Structures are given as C-alpha cells and as structure tokens.
Amino acid sequence: MCGIVAYLGKQKAEPILIKGLKRLEYRGYDSTGIALIENDELQVHKKKGKVAELETELSAQSFKSSIGIGHTRWATHGEPNDVNAHPHYSADQSLAVIHNGIIENYRSLKTELQKKGYSFKSDTDTEVFATFLQDVKTSNDLNLEDAVRLALSRVVGAYAIVILSKEEPDTLIAARKGSPMVIGVGKGEYFVASDATPIVEYTNNVIYLNDEEVAIIKSDSLEITDLKDIPLTPKIHEIDIALDEIEKGGYEHFMLKEIFEQPKSIADCMRGRLKMPEQTLILGGIQKYTDALIQAEKITFIACGTSWHAGLVAEYIFEEFCRIPVEVQYASEYRYRNPIVKPGEIVIAISQSGETADTLAAIEIAQRRGAIVLGIVNAVGSSISRVTDEGAYLHAGPEIGVASTKAFTAQLTVLSMMAIKAALLKGTITDSTFRELLNELNDIPAKVAKALTLNDKIKEISATFKDAHNFLYLGRGYNFPVALEGALKLKEISYIHAEGYPAAEMKHGPIALIDENMPVVFIATRDSSYDKIISNIQEVKSRKGKVIAVVTEGDVLIPGMADYTIEVPATHEALMPLVSVVPLQLLSYHIAVMRGANVDQPRNLAKSVTVE
Ligand code: M6R
C-alpha cells in the first residue's frame, strides 16, 4: 500500500528519493516524507499531501546527504497528517524508520514502552516500532543490525521496513515480512524500494528480499541474513522494464495510456504462446501441472477486485469448454471460511500486483491443505509469483493507474488460453473449435484497437451523464462479469455509485431504482442471451431509464431502443469481454476526468493492497 524508497551511494540522495517517491505514489498518496543525514544530524522532512508538495517545500534547501529513506503513505493507523507521515523518529531521534504493513502487536509494545516512560507523537504503529527498536538496542547494548533482528523477532504482523541511524550514517537496514521489497544493486550504490519502478533507471540488477530476511547495506557491501543472523546468499535477478513503460508518454493520465496500450498488451500476452502458422498454444509456465488441470474435479479461482471479475469470466470459459466445475472466491473470504480443499485440487490465484495480502493468505491456506496453486500474475518477481507452484505471467507491462485496465484484459487473455488449451487436451472441444478460437484470439488486439476508435463518441456520452448520482450496469452470461467490472471502474475513479448485476436479476430488486434519472449500461453484444437481454432493455425503457448499450457492430434492433449505442466488433462470445469492457473503461475515465477527479490516484485507494 505504501511506497518505500531508500538510497545509499555517491550521488545526492534527496533528488533520487523524490523521483522514486513520485514513481511509487500510485501505491499510496496521502502523505510523504524523507530522512537524510545532513552534517551528522538525522533530519526528517515530511508532510501531508502529494510528493510534489514536499518537493516544493524542500526546493529552497540544498542537501548533501548521499544516504536517505523516503515514504509515500496510504494511512492504516491514524489519519493522514504531517505527524502521522513517515519517516518516524525513535524517541531519542537517533533512528528514522519507514514502514509498509501493519504491526499487529503495536498496542502491547506501546504500553510496554509507555510504562518505561516513553511517549509518542503520532498514532502510528511505525513510531512505536522505531522507539521499540531504540529501546531494544540501548537496553541490550547492541549494534543496529543485531537490534533490528531482535526487535523484529518480537513483532507480529507484516512489514517492509527501512531504518536509517544517526550513529551508523553509512548503513541502511531493510527487512521484510509479508510486504514487498526489492533491492537494486548498482555500481557502488544501492537502492531499496517497494517495487522496481524507482530503480529501473539506475540498474536492472535486483534482489527480491524474502520474508524474515534482513539486508545490511553499506556503501561497499550488501549482506543478507535471516532473523537469527544466519547469512544467506542473495540471488541477483535481471529485470526487463523499459523506462517508457512507467512514464505517461504524452497521455494525460496513466489510466488512459494503459487503456490505449491494450492492443499491444494483449498481443504481448499472447506472444510466444499463441503460434498462428502452427496453430498451437503453449503455456510454458503451467506445463508441469497440465495433467492435474485437465483431470481436475473442480477449479477454484481466488482473487480480489478486478482480478476477481477476471475469475468470474474464467468460470464461464472453463465450464463451457473444459466441462470442469469452477468456484470463484473472494480471497478475503476464502482465507477465513475453512475451505474444503482436496489434496491435489487446482486453485488458481489471479493478481495484477502479485502482492495482494488477502490473495497471498488464501494461497497459503490452499497450499497448506494440499492444493496445487497456480498464479496468474502481472508483476514479475512479486510474492504471488514466487509462492505459487507454477503460473503464467501476463506480460502486460507495469500498470500504474490505480484502476486496473490492461491487466484485466491480459488476465482474460491468459485464462482464455489456459481454458482453450486444457479443453483441447481433455477432448472437450473439437480440433476445429480449437482452431476457430485460436483465430478469434489472434484477432482480438485488432478488435480492441477498433473499439478504442470509439473514444470520441464515448467522451460525448460521458458529458451527458457526468452528473449522474447512480449507474446500473447489466449484462448476461460472459458479459455479466463485464457489468461488474464496468461498475467497479466507474465508482472507484468517479465516486459515482454504480452497481453491476446479471440483467435478469434486475426484476428481482434493482428495477425499483429505474426512473428517468437512472443511466443503465447494457452490455448487449450478439450472443446466446441476446434475445433475453433485449427484453431487459425494454423493461428499463418502459420505466423511462436512460439506456447506454454496448452492442455488436451491425446490430439493427438495439439502436432503435437504446438512447445511446456503442458498437464493438464481433468475436466469439467467450472472448467478447476482452472487447466489450473497453468502452466501459473509457466511459468511466471520461466521466471521472469531467468531474475533476484524480483518475490515477483516486481517493482512499492504493494500487497494491498489501494489508488486510
Ligand atoms: O493486484 P491485484 O490484482 O491482486 O489487486 C486486486 C484489487 O485490489 C484490484 O483489482 C482493485 O480492485 C483495482 N483497484 C481495480 O481497479
């Protein structure tokens, strides 16, 4: 949730930290701060608001420090304000700490420290940890790294933490448990960050810190140990992220850039997997468990938010083509519901970030009970990609906009490829259906590109509805999860209340909401439920609802009934969500922009939900 960045090297740390924080701001953006060593003093500068505001405030000063830590916050303990912003000093101001995660036993640690006479300025668990660390260090007469290991062994909860000490001004200590942390290894310099985005312009060599590992970083050495001080040999990975992938590239917002990137991201996702001349489909990442997949008595998808919607589409696809019963579970519920898992059962975790705490916890439970867990993940090297038994990356490139767009279509692409391949191997589809689906998949990037040409029209429709207070999204079959996704996109970035429903469910309740002020978005492309959804459109029109319909190109019936129609190219109905979701992404984007909302950083949200 929060963004962490730290630097130790020969360059000035402050501009590197500020730039890094800007790159990480999508992870949390309610307050920000940095700590530096200036003239042998540990200085903390922090404030409520965006990184740019801190940057302006610091611009009058010049800093020499070549070591420093920085943080951009998504509040968990205490409201977003200057005092609760990170870094936090220890009581004696000898240490500064930045932290992502939640220290669950902070209340008992705080009481213990208060009994010893310590007091606290903020409401945060992090300040408690900083002072706890100081106390552990001084009471046991330890050096910093031993003190960190001892203190962390008493911490319950999740953390990615970096510590800067006035007494050891050439050392950074970083540690993680349950929250992501990457170390960039440059020439004579080191970077620490929540993900690789602040690092890639300096080095491609990174180390992914594992849970309960502690990194002791000095200008000329990097040592990694576990909490018991056993030395570990870190593995250096080479990452492949181009700088333009994490920049806006002329677009007004990352979200718009990512919506428009979809023809490419879907093609990237299929590259090397879907081979048209040979008419083959190869998903290298899940080869070991292919037999288990096709013999599965049940598949369970676990995910949150948009990724959960991708799981719902997959439910339809796997059931239709593979004839395997599918369950789709919110990871946050699965982890607490005592799930029935047969040994060898297939569980598929879907996650853009690969760091969602609920999904990670659900994976752990499934694995503990004997399931084979496959991961469908975008972020390379992320925790979910590392803890799952096998998996397939999306290869959609970094997604920075908080509202997920290109990751969703890439998830659908991977899941469709998996289902189609499994169905062929299982014999539940014929060779000719397989080839037909392959051809359709191959055409999807072009069809998405065509759907994107509707941008201007969708912008006009958006202007009509930008002041609406509510929206209803209705779809059937494969387009039902698309309705849910359209509604989620709208509410998270425009703050308009929106609900998605299976269209036939409308008459069981939501129809009471329909009047002349209610925009209803129908995803009514030509498929097996087309005739049925037409009846649903009529039900809305006869109650004076305003209908915006996403239809298949050439539809002659619905344009005569709907107030606005958006025509998308035809494809196989199982693949239609890849195309029909695009106008809904654009609709939410334009409405949000017209309402003056911060599209890339919507209020209260963060890109990667690494806390429960
Ligand atoms: O990184 P994940 O895919 O695991 O994230 C899951 C949800 O937090 C995420 O999809 C969220 O709902 C997005 N803000 C949706 O746009």
Side-chain angles (χ1 to χ4, degrees):
M1 314 280 301
C2 305
I4 279 181
V5 63
Y7 175 76
L8 193 173
K10 294 187 180 56
Q11 303 184 58
K12 286 186 178 170
E14 187 259 350
I16 293 175
L17 298 178
I18 294 290
K19 197 172 198 185
L21 290 176
K22 284 185 176 170
R23 294 224 190 276
L24 288 171
E25 213 167 11
Y26 72 100
R27 301 180 69 94
Y29 31 82
D30 57 45
S31 52
T32 188
I34 60 170
L36 303 163
I37 306 273
E38 289 291 325
N39 303 321
D40 301 328
E41 286 303 315
L42 179 56
Q43 285 186 4
V44 169
H45 305 271
K46 57 183 186 172
K47 73 192 305 276
K48 182 181 171 188
K50 297 275 161 65
V51 179
E53 293 168 49
L54 179 71
E55 183 182 27
T56 310
E57 188 171 290
L58 298 181
S59 60
Q61 303 176 54
S62 124
F63 299 99
K64 293 194 295 288
S65 180
S66 56
I67 187 169
I69 59 178
H71 189 270
T72 176
R73 179 172 185 246
W74 184 88
T76 57
H77 290 73
E79 64 173 274
N81 58 29
D82 292 356
V83 177
N84 288 333
H86 296 212
H88 285 282
Y89 277 127
S90 56
D92 65 357
Q93 302 206 344
S94 65
L95 305 169
V97 176
I98 51 174
H99 165 223
N100 175 16
I102 294 179
I103 293 172
E104 287 165 15
N105 61 335
Y106 86 101
R107 277 195 195 83
S108 59
L109 294 176
K110 189 171 186 176
T111 310
E112 204 179 292
L113 291 165
Q114 280 166 330
K115 281 190 195 144
K116 289 184 171 181
Y118 293 105
S119 60
F120 299 89
K121 297 188 177 66
S122 77
D123 307 315
T124 65
D125 49 344
T126 310
E127 187 191 10
V128 172
F129 177 77
T131 293
F132 176 60
L133 176 60
Q134 173 207 316
D135 186 66
V136 165
K137 184 173 181 301
T138 47
S139 344
N140 297 287
D141 194 19
L142 296 174
N143 66 22
L144 183 59
E145 59 171 278
D146 288 338
V148 170
R149 280 188 285 261
L150 185 56
L152 287 178
S153 64
R154 286 206 43 207
V155 159
V156 177
Y159 54 79
I161 212 154
V162 190
I163 300 133
L164 182 60
S165 163
K166 181 178 158 178
E167 287 158 14
E168 298 184 35
D170 57 354
T171 305
L172 285 175
I173 309 261
R176 79 157 259 180
K177 183 182 177 190
S179 287
M181 184 166 274
V182 185
I183 299 172
V185 184
K187 288 203 176 84
E189 57 186 359
Y190 294 96
F191 305 81
V192 182
S194 304
D195 62 44
T197 52
I199 296 177
V200 286
E201 67 186 277
Y202 307 103
T203 176
N204 290 328
N205 296 324
V206 300
I207 295 165
Y208 297 105
L209 213 58
N210 293 310
D211 278 353
E212 303 200 335
E213 289 183 358
V214 180
I216 303 99
I217 306 166
K218 297 180 186 288
S219 51
D220 55 357
S221 67
L222 166 67
E223 192 195 334
I224 297 185
T225 73
D226 66 10
L227 288 182
K228 295 198 177 87
D229 197 15
I230 311 267
L232 303 165
T233 310
K235 182 165 179 232
I236 298 188
H237 299 257
E238 200 172 321
I239 44 166
D240 179 23
I241 301 177
L243 211 48
D244 61 359
E245 289 184 86
I246 53 169
E247 293 188 336
K248 285 192 202 150
Y251 284 90
E252 200 182 335
H253 296 101
F254 279 110
M255 183 181 177
L256 190 63
K257 177 183 177 230
E258 288 157 7
I259 291 174
F260 273 86
E261 270 173 0
Q262 290 177 109
K264 179 175 181 301
S265 52
I266 294 170
D268 287 347
C269 179
M270 295 193 291
R271 182 159 300 117
R273 292 166 165 173
L274 175 63
K275 298 193 175 165
M276 276 323 280
E278 301 93 330
Q279 300 259 302
T280 58
L281 198 48
I282 299 166
L283 281 168
I286 55 162
Q287 271 176 337
K288 188 168 153 203
Y289 292 109
T290 304
D291 285 346
L293 180 66
I294 60 181
Q295 284 157 20
E297 285 173 25
K298 185 180 93 178
I299 299 173
T300 304
F301 288 96
I302 46 176
C304 304
T306 288
S307 299
W308 184 76
H309 296 157
L312 289 182
V313 177
E315 177 179 20
Y316 283 82
I317 304 180
F318 273 89
E319 289 197 348
E320 164 109 31
F321 296 134
C322 306
R323 307 306 299 145
I324 300 173
V326 171
E327 245 182 60
V328 189
Q329 298 282 344
Y330 283 118
S332 54
E333 288 298 314
Y334 185 90
R335 64 183 290 190
Y336 289 118
R337 60 179 281 180
N338 196 7
I340 299 164
V341 182
K342 285 196 187 157
E345 181 177 316
I346 295 283
V347 171
I348 302 181
I350 313 170
S351 174
Q352 187 288 126
S353 62
E355 298 294 351
T356 302
D358 284 324
T359 310
L360 272 164
I363 291 169
E364 197 189 322
I365 286 176
Q367 283 178 327
R368 225 186 298 134
R369 295 183 180 198
I372 296 164
V373 184
L374 308 178
I376 308 295
V377 173
N378 194 35
V380 176
S382 56
S383 302
I384 293 179
S385 72
R386 288 183 291 138
V387 299
T388 41
D389 298 293
E390 266 204 323
Y393 278 121
L394 303 182
H395 297 306
E399 190 180 65
I400 312 282
V402 165
S404 188
T405 53
K406 66 173 181 174
F408 178 67
T409 47
Q411 286 165 345
L412 298 187
T413 308
V414 169
L415 291 164
S416 306
M417 290 193 288
M418 268 174 87
I420 293 166
K421 179 68 189 242
L424 178 78
L425 295 174
K426 205 172 170 206
T428 43
I429 57 171
T430 60
D431 282 359
S432 77
T433 306
F434 176 74
R435 280 196 299 275
E436 182 204 343
L437 288 165
L438 246 50
N439 286 328
E440 290 289 351
L441 258 179
N442 192 47
D443 289 345
I444 289 293
K447 290 180 178 175
V448 168
K450 187 132 189 251
L452 289 167
T453 63
L454 301 165
N455 188 35
D456 289 345
K457 179 171 187 185
I458 295 167
K459 196 169 175 183
E460 277 171 34
I461 299 173
S462 305
T464 310
F465 292 103
K466 69 175 181 12
D467 297 319
H469 295 296
N470 299 287
F471 261 79
L472 207 52
Y473 285 72
L474 302 175
R476 300 182 78 129
Y478 287 100
N479 279 326
F480 155 54
V482 178
L484 295 181
E485 176 59 11
L488 176 65
K489 267 327 55 112
L490 185 71
K491 65 188 138 191
E492 66 179 340
I493 59 169
S494 74
Y495 319 137
I496 295 176
H497 170 241
E499 291 194 51
Y501 263 92
E505 274 294 302
M506 181 183 62
K507 58 185 175 293
H508 298 292
I511 199 164
L513 297 168
I514 310 274
D515 63 13
E516 65 280 11
N517 297 316
M518 175 63 99
V520 184
V521 180
F522 276 94
I523 304 98
T525 48
R526 192 172 277 285
D527 57 21
S528 44
S529 45
Y530 179 74
D531 293 338
K532 305 281 176 203
I533 207 159
I534 284 189
S535 311
N536 302 134
I537 295 176
Q538 277 161 339
E539 286 157 11
V540 170
K541 279 317 297 171
S542 53
R543 287 160 182 86
K544 299 192 170 56
K546 295 281 179 294
V547 171
I548 304 157
V550 177
V551 302
T552 309
E553 271 173 3
D555 191 312
V556 286
L557 268 183
I558 298 179
M561 293 158 39
D563 297 274
Y564 301 89
T565 47
I566 299 166
E567 292 191 19
V568 295
T571 183
H572 190 289
E573 72 175 301
L575 305 178
M576 184 47 96
L578 281 157
V579 182
S580 60
V581 75
V582 173
L584 309 189
Q585 296 168 341
L586 288 168
L587 186 72
S588 352
Y589 171 78
H590 289 300
I591 290 179
V593 170
M594 286 170 194
R595 288 166 71 95
N598 186 338
V599 172
D600 283 337
Q601 293 169 359
R603 74 181 176 208
N604 305 338
L605 291 175
K607 184 68 184 163
S608 159
V609 186
T610 55
V611 294
E612 242 195 287

